[in-house]
Amino acid sequence: MTDKNADIAAFVLRVSTGAVFLVHGLTKLFVFTPSGTAGYFQSLGLPGALGYLTMLIEILGGLALIAGIATRWVSLVMVPVLLGAALFAHAGNGFTFSNPGGGWEYPVLWAVVMGALSLLGDGAWSLGRKR
């Protein structure tokens, strides 16, 4: 793989996953509301504070990924968030994400994508690029 291809791959993964995380976080903020998100986390047997933290990570992390700031670290932070979603929110729904309630395949796939992005880093088209 050439450096140019790696830069393109990093850009595409950063922007697409960053947008998905941003939308998920903003949905928790504006649709489900912070207290509703905390309540959902509590219904899963988790501390409600994790709902607030997850919302913050998704919004700020999504923005950082889109901009290409600290991509390696942000991507690594996203891995346990996604694996937590797979384990606590989706594991009981089976594998396929089209199952009622969504199975665990989607968040696990995104965790793997975040792991790969952490290896790629910021890429050339980012604010965090070392010039």
Side-chain angles (χ1 to χ4, degrees), residues 7-35:
D7 287 333
I8 293 168
F11 176 77
V12 169
L13 286 175
R14 276 191 309 97
V15 173
S16 62
T17 58
V20 169
F21 282 118
L22 182 59
V23 167
H24 275 251
L26 292 175
T27 299
K28 287 176 178 68
L29 179 64
F30 294 118
V31 177
F32 301 129
T33 73
S35 62

Short mmCIF file of all heavy atoms in Angstrom, two decimals, residues 7-35:
data_model
loop_
_atom_site.label_atom_id
_atom_site.label_comp_id
_atom_site.label_asym_id
_atom_site.label_seq_id
_atom_site.Cartn_x
_atom_site.Cartn_y
_atom_site.Cartn_z
N ASP A 7 -3.33 7.34 3.21
CA ASP A 7 -3.92 8.64 3.53
C ASP A 7 -5.38 8.70 3.12
O ASP A 7 -6.22 9.22 3.85
CB ASP A 7 -3.15 9.77 2.85
CG ASP A 7 -1.80 10.03 3.49
OD1 ASP A 7 -1.65 9.73 4.70
OD2 ASP A 7 -0.90 10.53 2.80
N ILE A 8 -5.70 8.15 1.96
CA ILE A 8 -7.09 8.12 1.49
C ILE A 8 -7.92 7.24 2.42
O ILE A 8 -9.03 7.61 2.82
CB ILE A 8 -7.18 7.64 0.03
CG1 ILE A 8 -6.53 8.68 -0.90
CG2 ILE A 8 -8.62 7.37 -0.37
CD1 ILE A 8 -6.30 8.18 -2.32
N ALA A 9 -7.39 6.06 2.77
CA ALA A 9 -8.11 5.15 3.67
C ALA A 9 -8.36 5.80 5.02
O ALA A 9 -9.47 5.73 5.56
CB ALA A 9 -7.32 3.85 3.84
N ALA A 10 -7.35 6.45 5.56
CA ALA A 10 -7.50 7.12 6.86
C ALA A 10 -8.57 8.21 6.77
O ALA A 10 -9.42 8.34 7.66
CB ALA A 10 -6.17 7.71 7.32
N PHE A 11 -8.53 8.99 5.71
CA PHE A 11 -9.51 10.07 5.53
C PHE A 11 -10.94 9.52 5.46
O PHE A 11 -11.84 10.00 6.15
CB PHE A 11 -9.18 10.88 4.27
CG PHE A 11 -10.18 11.94 3.95
CD1 PHE A 11 -10.20 13.12 4.67
CD2 PHE A 11 -11.11 11.76 2.94
CE1 PHE A 11 -11.13 14.11 4.39
CE2 PHE A 11 -12.04 12.73 2.65
CZ PHE A 11 -12.06 13.91 3.38
N VAL A 12 -11.14 8.51 4.62
CA VAL A 12 -12.48 7.94 4.44
C VAL A 12 -12.98 7.34 5.75
O VAL A 12 -14.14 7.58 6.15
CB VAL A 12 -12.47 6.88 3.31
CG1 VAL A 12 -13.76 6.09 3.29
CG2 VAL A 12 -12.22 7.54 1.97
N LEU A 13 -12.14 6.59 6.44
CA LEU A 13 -12.56 5.98 7.71
C LEU A 13 -12.80 7.04 8.79
O LEU A 13 -13.77 6.95 9.54
CB LEU A 13 -11.52 4.98 8.19
CG LEU A 13 -11.48 3.66 7.43
CD1 LEU A 13 -10.31 2.80 7.91
CD2 LEU A 13 -12.79 2.91 7.58
N ARG A 14 -11.92 8.03 8.87
CA ARG A 14 -12.09 9.09 9.88
C ARG A 14 -13.40 9.83 9.70
O ARG A 14 -14.17 10.00 10.64
CB ARG A 14 -10.95 10.11 9.81
CG ARG A 14 -9.70 9.78 10.51
CD ARG A 14 -8.73 10.96 10.62
NE ARG A 14 -8.42 11.65 9.38
CZ ARG A 14 -9.02 12.77 8.97
NH1 ARG A 14 -9.95 13.36 9.69
NH2 ARG A 14 -8.67 13.34 7.83
N VAL A 15 -13.65 10.30 8.49
CA VAL A 15 -14.81 11.14 8.25
C VAL A 15 -16.11 10.34 8.37
O VAL A 15 -17.07 10.79 9.00
CB VAL A 15 -14.71 11.85 6.89
CG1 VAL A 15 -15.99 12.59 6.55
CG2 VAL A 15 -13.53 12.82 6.90
N SER A 16 -16.13 9.14 7.81
CA SER A 16 -17.37 8.35 7.87
C SER A 16 -17.69 7.89 9.28
O SER A 16 -18.82 8.03 9.74
CB SER A 16 -17.30 7.16 6.91
OG SER A 16 -16.27 6.28 7.26
N THR A 17 -16.71 7.37 9.99
CA THR A 17 -16.99 6.93 11.36
C THR A 17 -17.20 8.11 12.29
O THR A 17 -18.04 8.04 13.19
CB THR A 17 -15.87 6.01 11.90
OG1 THR A 17 -14.62 6.71 11.87
CG2 THR A 17 -15.77 4.73 11.11
N GLY A 18 -16.47 9.19 12.06
CA GLY A 18 -16.69 10.38 12.87
C GLY A 18 -18.10 10.91 12.73
O GLY A 18 -18.75 11.29 13.71
N ALA A 19 -18.62 10.91 11.50
CA ALA A 19 -19.99 11.36 11.26
C ALA A 19 -21.00 10.44 11.96
O ALA A 19 -21.97 10.92 12.56
CB ALA A 19 -20.28 11.43 9.76
N VAL A 20 -20.76 9.14 11.89
CA VAL A 20 -21.67 8.19 12.56
C VAL A 20 -21.66 8.41 14.07
O VAL A 20 -22.72 8.47 14.70
CB VAL A 20 -21.30 6.73 12.21
CG1 VAL A 20 -22.05 5.75 13.09
CG2 VAL A 20 -21.59 6.45 10.75
N PHE A 21 -20.49 8.56 14.65
CA PHE A 21 -20.41 8.80 16.10
C PHE A 21 -21.07 10.12 16.48
O PHE A 21 -21.78 10.21 17.48
CB PHE A 21 -18.96 8.78 16.59
CG PHE A 21 -18.41 7.41 16.74
CD1 PHE A 21 -17.33 7.01 15.98
CD2 PHE A 21 -18.98 6.50 17.62
CE1 PHE A 21 -16.81 5.73 16.10
CE2 PHE A 21 -18.47 5.22 17.75
CZ PHE A 21 -17.39 4.84 16.99
N LEU A 22 -20.84 11.15 15.69
CA LEU A 22 -21.44 12.45 15.96
C LEU A 22 -22.96 12.35 15.95
O LEU A 22 -23.63 12.85 16.86
CB LEU A 22 -20.95 13.49 14.95
CG LEU A 22 -21.46 14.91 15.13
CD1 LEU A 22 -21.09 15.47 16.50
CD2 LEU A 22 -20.91 15.80 14.02
N VAL A 23 -23.52 11.69 14.94
CA VAL A 23 -24.97 11.53 14.84
C VAL A 23 -25.50 10.72 16.04
O VAL A 23 -26.52 11.08 16.63
CB VAL A 23 -25.37 10.88 13.50
CG1 VAL A 23 -26.82 10.43 13.51
CG2 VAL A 23 -25.11 11.85 12.36
N HIS A 24 -24.81 9.66 16.41
CA HIS A 24 -25.25 8.85 17.56
C HIS A 24 -25.24 9.68 18.83
O HIS A 24 -26.18 9.61 19.63
CB HIS A 24 -24.35 7.62 17.72
CG HIS A 24 -24.77 6.47 16.88
ND1 HIS A 24 -25.34 5.33 17.39
CD2 HIS A 24 -24.70 6.28 15.54
CE1 HIS A 24 -25.60 4.49 16.41
NE2 HIS A 24 -25.22 5.05 15.27
N GLY A 25 -24.18 10.45 19.03
CA GLY A 25 -24.09 11.29 20.23
C GLY A 25 -25.14 12.38 20.25
O GLY A 25 -25.77 12.64 21.29
N LEU A 26 -25.37 13.02 19.12
CA LEU A 26 -26.37 14.09 19.05
C LEU A 26 -27.79 13.52 19.19
O LEU A 26 -28.67 14.20 19.74
CB LEU A 26 -26.23 14.87 17.75
CG LEU A 26 -24.96 15.72 17.65
CD1 LEU A 26 -24.85 16.36 16.27
CD2 LEU A 26 -24.89 16.76 18.75
N THR A 27 -28.00 12.30 18.73
CA THR A 27 -29.30 11.66 18.92
C THR A 27 -29.55 11.41 20.40
O THR A 27 -30.65 11.64 20.91
CB THR A 27 -29.38 10.33 18.14
OG1 THR A 27 -29.21 10.62 16.75
CG2 THR A 27 -30.70 9.62 18.36
N LYS A 28 -28.51 10.97 21.10
CA LYS A 28 -28.64 10.78 22.56
C LYS A 28 -28.93 12.11 23.25
O LYS A 28 -29.70 12.17 24.19
CB LYS A 28 -27.36 10.17 23.13
CG LYS A 28 -27.19 8.69 22.80
CD LYS A 28 -25.85 8.19 23.33
CE LYS A 28 -25.66 6.72 23.07
NZ LYS A 28 -25.52 6.36 21.65
N LEU A 29 -28.31 13.19 22.76
CA LEU A 29 -28.47 14.51 23.38
C LEU A 29 -29.84 15.11 23.08
O LEU A 29 -30.54 15.55 24.00
CB LEU A 29 -27.37 15.44 22.88
CG LEU A 29 -27.40 16.87 23.39
CD1 LEU A 29 -27.18 16.92 24.90
CD2 LEU A 29 -26.32 17.70 22.67
N PHE A 30 -30.25 15.13 21.80
CA PHE A 30 -31.44 15.87 21.42
C PHE A 30 -32.72 15.04 21.31
O PHE A 30 -33.80 15.58 21.45
CB PHE A 30 -31.20 16.61 20.09
CG PHE A 30 -30.18 17.69 20.20
CD1 PHE A 30 -29.00 17.63 19.46
CD2 PHE A 30 -30.37 18.77 21.04
CE1 PHE A 30 -28.05 18.62 19.55
CE2 PHE A 30 -29.41 19.77 21.15
CZ PHE A 30 -28.25 19.70 20.40
N VAL A 31 -32.59 13.75 21.03
CA VAL A 31 -33.78 12.91 20.87
C VAL A 31 -34.08 12.16 22.16
O VAL A 31 -35.17 12.26 22.71
CB VAL A 31 -33.63 11.94 19.67
CG1 VAL A 31 -34.84 11.02 19.57
CG2 VAL A 31 -33.43 12.72 18.38
N PHE A 32 -33.11 11.38 22.62
CA PHE A 32 -33.33 10.59 23.83
C PHE A 32 -33.16 11.44 25.10
O PHE A 32 -33.63 11.04 26.15
CB PHE A 32 -32.39 9.39 23.87
CG PHE A 32 -32.55 8.48 22.69
CD1 PHE A 32 -31.46 8.08 21.95
CD2 PHE A 32 -33.81 8.02 22.31
CE1 PHE A 32 -31.61 7.24 20.86
CE2 PHE A 32 -33.96 7.18 21.22
CZ PHE A 32 -32.86 6.78 20.49
N THR A 33 -32.51 12.54 24.99
CA THR A 33 -32.14 13.49 26.07
C THR A 33 -31.10 12.87 27.00
O THR A 33 -31.03 11.64 27.13
CB THR A 33 -33.34 13.98 26.90
OG1 THR A 33 -33.80 12.92 27.75
CG2 THR A 33 -34.46 14.50 26.01
N PRO A 34 -30.30 13.70 27.63
CA PRO A 34 -29.29 13.17 28.55
C PRO A 34 -29.88 12.30 29.66
O PRO A 34 -29.36 11.22 29.96
CB PRO A 34 -28.62 14.43 29.10
CG PRO A 34 -28.75 15.43 27.99
CD PRO A 34 -30.12 15.16 27.41
N SER A 35 -30.98 12.76 30.25
CA SER A 35 -31.56 11.96 31.34
C SER A 35 -32.16 10.65 30.81
O SER A 35 -32.08 9.61 31.48
CB SER A 35 -32.62 12.76 32.11
OG SER A 35 -33.69 13.11 31.26
#
